[in-house]
Amino acid sequence: MSAGPVVIDLGVRTHEPPAEPAPSRPALARHLRTAVTALVVALVLAVGGSAPPPGPALVEVAAPPTSIWQQELLVGDRLYVVHPPTERSSRRTVTAYDLTRGADLWTSPIGVENRAVGPEGAASLSVVGDRVLVYTEDRTFVLDAVSGRVRASVPHEVEGGAAGVGLSRDGAWVLGAGESAEVVAVDPATGEIVQSFVVPPGVSTWVTVTGGAVTGSISDLDTGGVLWSTGPVAAAELLPGESPSVAVLTADGALEVRDARTGAVRRSRAGVVDGAAGRLRPAGDLVLVQDDWATVTAYAAGTLEPVWDAVLPGRGAVYGCGAVVCAAVDGRTLLYDTGSGRPLGEVVANHLDSRGGHLLRLGPREGELEHTVDPYSGRPLVDLSDWPEPVIPADGSPLVLTRPDRLPDRAWFAVLEPGATRIRMLGTVPHPVTGCQSSATHVICRTEGGVRAWQYR
């Protein structure tokens, strides 16, 4: 027998409790706020819980074609490569790669035809604004960074500056006569004598290298033409800033700031050093001038008014190193405040390197890192001895570090952000790496299979 439909009679409640009074408006508003807040929190948790996990911090993005004896430069997400002549191309070529898209942007031949296939002299690259500068053995080629078109070539090594001007320096030589003389070569960075020899008696004419004397030529990087020349001076340096200018230490000891395009003297201060025995270095908003390698005076680049002076405890060389001024003296590097010249501390090192927002003490091997340095005291901060092989940033991007893994076919990468005191690991790559460069977004290295590029975050 089939059961009939079951009907449940809920009936009507005859003893309903009396209704509660309606809540007041303030109480109702509080309840609504509480409900809305709970709903928002629930939605946030739901969305956060459903978001995909972050991807790896280091991802290979490109492996551009590689040739033997090439030179490369990483700037941002672009890789510029100078290839030597090949059997197919009798001239050097420059190629720009877009690492984000993994595509060639352009390739341009430079220089004269050379039928020989093999290593040539090294080429150096730099990027200034929308120009790529490639220096070979005796000439600088200026290419348009967007199209690769060769804008100009200059028969010198050129230091690129703003507004399309470049500075070239040639050594100034003085001829003399006599029975004997000593010829001395001085390292312009440290003042150390690196080579000397005596011309034997009976030689009536010899050449003496004067103390750092140079001739500066200013070229137009769009035409290659020389705009003006300094003549023999003690030193000439491009100054940073939107309005391009050149600081010149004249042969009679005057400090001048000249317009980079016209050579017109904007500011001048006489009697800065004794004759031509002087040295000049820009350091941020300062121009550092040394007389006899021991006395240092800092001048404001905008006015040439003296800001401070200091006497080094021996012969040395001063230079800007990030937030402070450094002076290399007798195996030590002294630190000075940029605003007052007050001594801040010292580090036992011949030279400190400012890179990636950090002041670095280098190890005994070339390029080896030891630790970061507090620029205001000289004390060590972050130990980098486990990361002996630095990655060279082409700009002020973070300091990327690398080291080989215990497995021979792997390498580790890490990053030390500007101002950070802890190293952040990026991960490993399945290749041994050498000759790495970095930007704010990418790392390129030479591997067993050629050049590879990784994007990091």
Side-chain angles (χ1 to χ4, degrees):
M1 181 176 68
S2 64
V6 178
V7 178
I8 300 177
D9 186 2
L10 297 178
V12 178
R13 300 186 63 173
T14 57
H15 302 288
E16 191 75 16
E20 294 183 359
S24 63
R25 290 185 179 274
L28 181 60
R30 284 196 300 271
H31 290 316
L32 287 174
R33 283 198 299 268
T34 303
V36 169
T37 302
L39 180 60
V40 170
V41 170
L43 288 173
V44 170
L45 291 175
V47 172
S50 63
L58 190 68
V59 178
E60 183 173 336
V61 293
T66 306
S67 61
I68 304 176
W69 305 304
Q70 73 178 33
Q71 285 92 34
E72 56 270 338
L73 174 67
L74 172 65
V75 178
D77 61 355
R78 287 198 180 184
L79 178 64
Y80 299 94
V81 179
V82 179
H83 298 279
T86 64
E87 294 179 351
R88 292 185 176 183
S89 173
S90 59
R91 299 168 66 187
R92 280 181 167 171
T93 57
V94 183
T95 300
Y97 298 98
D98 185 330
L99 297 179
T100 301
R101 294 188 297 149
D104 296 5
L105 296 176
W106 48 259
T107 296
S108 297
I110 60 172
V112 297
E113 292 189 0
N114 185 354
R115 296 295 177 182
V117 177
E120 292 191 343
S124 61
L125 296 93
S126 61
V127 176
V128 183
D130 61 350
R131 298 171 178 84
V132 180
L133 276 62
V134 182
Y135 175 68
T136 59
E137 293 85 354
D138 58 357
R139 183 170 292 271
T140 297
F141 296 90
V142 184
L143 287 75
D144 185 279
V146 176
S147 66
R149 176 179 60 87
V150 177
R151 292 185 173 187
S153 67
V154 181
H156 306 282
E157 184 173 11
V158 171
E159 177 184 339
V165 297
L167 171 64
S168 306
R169 301 183 189 86
D170 290 323
W173 302 81
V174 177
L175 297 180
E179 294 185 355
S180 64
E182 182 181 13
V183 179
V184 177
V186 178
D187 185 338
T190 64
E192 301 279 336
I193 296 177
V194 295
Q195 186 179 5
S196 66
F197 62 91
V198 176
V199 178
V203 178
S204 59
T205 302
W206 68 88
V207 177
T208 302
V209 181
T210 62
V214 298
T215 297
S217 299
I218 312 300
S219 301
D220 187 317
L221 296 184
D222 289 329
T223 66
V226 175
L227 297 172
W228 57 279
S229 177
T230 64
V233 295
E237 295 282 350
L238 282 171
L239 295 180
E242 295 182 0
S243 180
S245 56
V246 179
V248 173
L249 199 58
T250 67
D252 58 358
L255 177 61
E256 298 177 344
V257 174
R258 302 185 185 180
D259 184 280
R261 294 205 67 88
T262 66
V265 177
R266 293 176 174 174
R267 292 172 291 280
S268 179
R269 190 175 189 89
V272 167
V273 296
D274 182 13
R279 187 170 179 275
L280 180 153
R281 273 289 181 91
D285 295 332
L286 299 176
V287 177
L288 306 175
V289 177
Q290 286 184 257
D291 192 357
D292 69 19
W293 294 88
T295 303
V296 181
T297 304
Y299 296 89
T303 63
L304 293 189
E305 291 296 320
V307 179
W308 52 265
D309 56 59
V311 178
L312 305 182
R315 287 172 58 88
V318 296
Y319 56 96
C321 49
V324 296
V325 171
C326 290
V329 181
D330 297 330
R332 299 173 296 158
T333 298
L334 312 178
L335 307 175
Y336 294 89
D337 183 83
T338 56
S340 64
R342 177 175 59 89
L344 299 172
E346 67 176 64
V347 181
V348 180
N350 291 321
H351 182 81
L352 297 181
D353 192 5
S354 178
R355 187 186 304 171
H358 296 273
L359 193 58
L360 305 174
R361 187 192 191 282
L362 306 181
R365 293 189 305 156
E366 183 178 358
E368 186 180 46
L369 297 179
E370 282 201 354
H371 55 74
T372 66
V373 174
D374 180 357
Y376 303 105
S377 67
R379 66 183 179 88
L381 291 178
V382 182
D383 183 10
L384 300 176
S385 57
D386 287 340
W387 303 88
E389 301 188 26
V391 178
I392 302 173
D395 48 24
S397 58
L399 180 65
V400 175
L401 308 166
T402 184
R403 70 183 180 200
D405 187 57
R406 54 195 175 103
L407 299 176
D409 59 347
R410 301 186 73 82
W412 283 89
F413 283 94
V415 63
L416 186 62
E417 303 285 351
T421 56
R422 296 189 64 180
I423 295 171
R424 178 168 61 88
M425 301 298 295
L426 294 176
T428 61
V429 298
H431 310 278
V433 298
T434 59
C436 298
Q437 301 178 40
S438 66
S439 68
T441 55
H442 289 79
V443 183
I444 64 130
C445 299
R446 297 195 176 196
T447 69
E448 74 287 350
V451 174
R452 295 180 183 271
W454 294 268
Q455 188 170 8
Y456 76 93
R457 58 173 179 80

